[in-house]
Amino acid sequence: MDYPTRLETKGNHPVVPVLMAGGSGSRLWPLSRESYPKQFLALHGAHSLLQNTALRARMIPNAAPPVVIGADSHRFLIAEQLRDAGIAESTLLFEPEGRDTAPAAAVAAHYVAAEVGPEAIVFLMAADHVITDLDAFVAAASLGAELAATGHVVTFGIKPTGPETGFGYLRAGAALDDDPRAQRVEAFVEKPDAERAQQFLDAGNHYWNSGMFMFRADRFLDVLQCLEPALSHSAHAAVSLAAVNPDGLTLNVEAFSSCRKVSVDYAVMEKLHDIALVPLDAGWDDVGSWNFLAGLPATDEHANRARGDVLLQDSHGNLVHAQSRLVTLIGVEDHVVVETEDAILVAPRSRVQEVKGVVQKLRDESRSEVVANRRVYRPWGYYESIAGGERFQVKRIMVKPGEKLSLQMHHHRAEHWVVVKGTARVTCGDKEFLLCEDQSTYIPLGNVHRLENPGLVPLELIEVQSGAYLGEDDIVRLEDVYGRSQEPKPESSSAAARRSTAGHTA
């Protein structure tokens, strides 16, 4: 999808896109995992959902560089994806834990008011939604910004295409006095059953709740101070006492953890009586389940939608995603099949919302499949497990040009490295040497060591681990260029808040 350069208009109210990227995306398991959730996946086009959100946000008239709020554990991914998409000068705010959307909105408003200006407009949006009609999106966002500039709190109602039971709804009232293109929100409505959803559709005055909001920072903070003063105070402290790390700002742990865990809808929006609704008909999807694939064009004459190496025989209306091997279906109708290297999901399309329950069961059993894919990304590259058994494990490691692993040691395992592509610089004990393709080395148990790529092409090697314990927590980091071995250093709030960090090495 092409993203034209955003339009420029006159005005004194910059629009600051705030991308909330802290979700876990459990309903899209097994592709989405805790360490690599759906906002980082390329589910619609070549870019990830996060990248697509950032790219369309910069098209909005008077758009400032985005603020991205995400999990501290994903800070390397966020920074790298923004950099790869050419999104410069972003500010990255990292949450030490998830506290829902109200604390994120409060943090964003405090940050924007202090660093951009109290009358700057915050455009709060999820980083994991799909919007296909960019012109319609820009038009709606432009209207929302006009209304927000005059003090309105604005939300965007999605024109419903069916009696959907998986979304909350907005009941629209009369047109605004100062702009008839928008309406007043009469009520926020909880997710309905099928009968009530059909009634909403027939009535014609209900919209899906997109979860996107626009407001002037000072207006929101005034409202927040009245409705949630303790939350506002804690969010302000979380920003003021934020700590610097190589990729952005980690919100103060103690202050942020004291924020009430609540959605911005419940904490603020449902209590206001003057919210403006801007209709949005732009091919929106919240990618809330694998039924998202049903919105893509059919890949055969039997209404199947298949991605990857898929062979279908006498099968109709299926959604199939194959990642690593051939998937075949015979005589199957209206099912979702998702294959990854280490897990397969098969479910009727009518029950894909229950995937979240499966994920919780896996979490209760401490299964690794809920946390990470076989390929695990690190700031220096990635590793993936190839084979394993009692007292051994085999991994494929890729190190990006110019990057290096931490200087480290292990208490319980030794390692053999075989270079298959590129050049490796190896530190082992007091020795430092280069390895080229087809060369190998041995890292004895307890030896301090480091691997780095001094070349211009990716370094790939095979690592064979052996020992009594092979867990990833058997790593003692002695030095790390990515700041993982030390706690982030505190910095003054004004200096910390001004940092633009998307260009930092991930």
Side-chain angles (χ1 to χ4, degrees):
M1 185 179 297
D2 293 326
Y3 290 85
T5 304
R6 65 176 174 86
L7 301 174
E8 295 287 347
T9 63
K10 296 180 180 180
N12 299 318
H13 300 280
V15 178
V16 183
V18 175
L19 282 51
M20 295 183 292
S24 61
S26 60
R27 288 185 178 88
L28 262 69
W29 184 89
L31 201 57
S32 176
R33 308 287 176 99
E34 290 179 2
S35 65
Y36 206 86
K38 70 173 182 177
Q39 58 266 32
F40 305 115
L41 300 174
L43 297 173
H44 192 271
H47 291 104
S48 72
L49 298 181
L50 168 64
Q51 290 171 324
N52 278 333
T53 305
L55 288 168
R56 66 174 171 265
R58 72 178 182 182
M59 296 169 56
I60 301 167
N62 289 335
V67 173
V68 182
I69 302 179
D72 190 59
S73 58
H74 296 148
R75 60 187 176 98
F76 307 115
L77 281 172
I78 294 171
E80 182 173 34
Q81 288 213 346
L82 293 177
R83 183 173 60 251
D84 289 347
I87 306 296
E89 299 181 349
S90 302
T91 298
L92 311 185
L93 304 178
F94 301 115
E95 299 173 323
E97 62 176 283
R99 304 298 296 170
D100 217 323
T101 55
V107 162
H110 279 295
Y111 174 83
V112 171
E115 297 306 317
V116 184
E119 294 187 353
I121 296 168
V122 174
F123 187 9
L124 197 68
M125 66 183 84
D128 55 1
H129 292 178
V130 164
I131 289 177
T132 57
D133 189 338
L134 299 180
D135 291 337
F137 167 76
V138 171
S142 300
L143 174 56
E146 292 177 23
L147 296 171
T150 64
H152 285 287
V153 174
V154 180
T155 189
F156 296 84
I158 306 300
K159 184 177 180 180
T161 58
E164 176 61 54
T165 60
F167 300 143
Y169 282 72
L170 304 168
R171 185 167 70 242
L176 292 184
D177 294 335
D178 48 350
D179 198 317
R181 294 175 294 174
Q183 300 166 270
R184 294 191 179 276
V185 175
E186 285 190 348
F188 285 73
V189 184
E190 295 290 341
K191 297 176 182 178
D193 57 25
E195 181 179 357
R196 196 159 181 237
Q198 186 62 53
Q199 293 173 357
F200 292 165
L201 191 66
D202 295 339
N205 65 336
H206 287 75
Y207 294 82
W208 293 336
N209 182 1
S210 69
M212 295 190 291
F213 298 96
M214 264 190 181
F215 43 77
R216 270 185 14 194
D218 55 356
R219 166 85 165 114
F220 184 80
L221 291 176
D222 287 344
V223 171
L224 194 67
Q225 183 60 35
C226 292
L227 297 176
E228 294 279 348
L231 191 156
S232 181
H233 175 78
S234 295
H236 181 266
V239 174
S240 300
L241 301 174
V244 176
N245 59 54
D247 295 288
L249 307 176
T250 297
L251 300 171
N252 180 265
V253 175
E254 183 177 357
F256 191 73
S257 298
S258 68
C259 291
R260 186 163 82 97
K261 189 174 184 179
V262 61
S263 74
V264 70
D265 294 55
Y266 284 127
V268 178
M269 302 304 174
E270 294 185 9
K271 299 175 183 177
L272 297 180
H273 303 292
D274 59 347
I275 295 181
L277 184 150
V278 172
L280 179 62
D281 186 7
W284 174 90
D285 197 301
D286 75 336
V287 198
S289 76
W290 280 111
N291 273 327
F292 156 74
L293 294 177
L296 302 179
T299 54
D300 65 18
E301 67 274 18
H302 301 297
N304 295 299
R305 288 160 176 83
R307 305 177 77 176
D309 193 3
V310 177
L311 177 62
L312 303 173
Q313 180 175 313
D314 190 26
S315 296
H316 307 270
N318 298 291
L319 311 176
V320 187
H321 184 103
Q323 185 180 55
S324 65
R325 73 197 87 180
L326 171 64
V327 173
T328 64
L329 274 66
I330 302 174
V332 177
E333 293 188 5
D334 297 325
H335 272 62
V336 170
V337 179
V338 181
E339 176 273 334
T340 66
E341 289 183 323
D342 62 347
I344 298 173
L345 166 70
V346 180
R349 287 178 56 179
S350 61
R351 300 184 64 179
V352 290
Q353 294 288 351
E354 298 176 35
V355 171
K356 192 172 183 179
V358 172
V359 171
Q360 186 56 53
K361 289 182 180 179
L362 293 172
R363 188 178 292 115
D364 293 342
E365 296 176 5
S366 300
R367 294 287 299 259
S368 62
E369 293 89 347
V370 78
V371 177
N373 298 92
R374 186 163 292 181
R375 176 175 291 187
V376 179
Y377 289 89
R378 290 289 186 257
W380 41 261
Y382 63 79
Y383 69 84
E384 55 188 6
S385 297
I386 298 175
E390 187 175 356
R391 296 187 62 87
F392 83 93
Q393 184 169 211
V394 182
K395 292 182 178 180
R396 174 173 173 257
I397 295 176
M398 189 282 289
V399 185
K400 294 178 289 188
E403 304 296 337
K404 63 177 71 175
L405 281 66
S406 61
L407 185 68
Q408 58 185 250
M409 57 87 68
H410 309 295
H411 290 295
H412 303 288
R413 71 175 186 248
E415 297 173 341
H416 296 256
W417 294 344
V418 181
V419 176
V420 296
K421 179 182 178 181
T423 301
R425 178 180 290 124
V426 178
T427 299
C428 184
D430 57 359
K431 298 179 181 179
E432 183 178 295
F433 51 92
L434 295 177
L435 292 179
C436 298
E437 293 180 10
D438 298 326
Q439 294 182 325
S440 63
T441 190
Y442 172 62
I443 310 295
L445 184 151
N447 271 36
V448 174
H449 59 280
R450 165 175 268 163
L451 175 67
E452 55 187 300
N453 180 0
L456 300 177
V457 300
L459 164 65
E460 297 183 14
L461 58 84
I462 300 299
E463 176 182 85
V464 181
Q465 303 175 356
S466 60
Y469 178 72
L470 305 174
E472 283 301 305
D473 52 349
D474 181 27
I475 297 177
V476 179
R477 290 193 179 97
L478 306 175
E479 179 185 307
D480 186 63
V481 297
Y482 310 106
R484 295 174 295 173
S485 55
Q486 299 90 19
E487 290 298 317
K489 291 184 178 181
E491 186 177 292
S492 67
S493 60
S494 59
R498 286 194 295 270
R499 285 174 58 92
S500 295
T501 56
H504 282 256
T505 300

